[in-house]
Amino acid sequence: MKENHDYLSSSGGSNIARLREEGLMLHMKGAGYGFIFCFAVLTAILILMWIGNNLLPAESRDTEDPTPFSYVIETPEVLNA
């Protein structure tokens, strides 16, 4: 028994109809891949937010920013005059 994986055989042999069906199938496939990618990114962001809000202690939100340029540079009084 032959396995037929040609889902676009309903067009009756018309080349224009088959081209339209193939284009629609490829567009739907791309939209599905895009949805899966966006859903995966959103899920990763939500998991990180949940970890930050529930598993880390509250004191971790009150500490200073660890980046070296996050502090305010105070200028000498001579420059302000």
Side-chain angles (χ1 to χ4, degrees):
M1 185 156 105
K2 179 182 171 187
E3 290 185 25
N4 188 5
H5 294 293
D6 187 14
Y7 300 112
L8 304 174
S9 63
S10 65
S11 63
S14 172
N15 287 337
I16 294 175
R18 183 167 176 86
L19 181 63
R20 286 181 182 157
E21 291 172 358
E22 285 181 10
L24 177 64
M25 191 76 114
L26 289 173
H27 279 258
M28 296 305 286
K29 187 177 179 182
Y33 287 151
F35 172 76
I36 290 170
F37 176 77
C38 290
F39 184 74
V41 169
L42 179 64
T43 302
I45 290 172
L46 290 175
I47 288 172
L48 287 174
M49 286 175 54
W50 183 81
I51 288 172
N53 288 332
N54 296 330
L55 297 181
L56 294 176
E59 294 85 24
S60 67
R61 294 184 208 112
D62 297 332
T63 60
E64 291 184 24
D65 195 7
T67 60
F69 302 111
S70 62
Y71 58 87
V72 177
I73 299 174
E74 295 183 20
T75 58
E77 295 298 324
V78 176
L79 296 176
N80 290 334

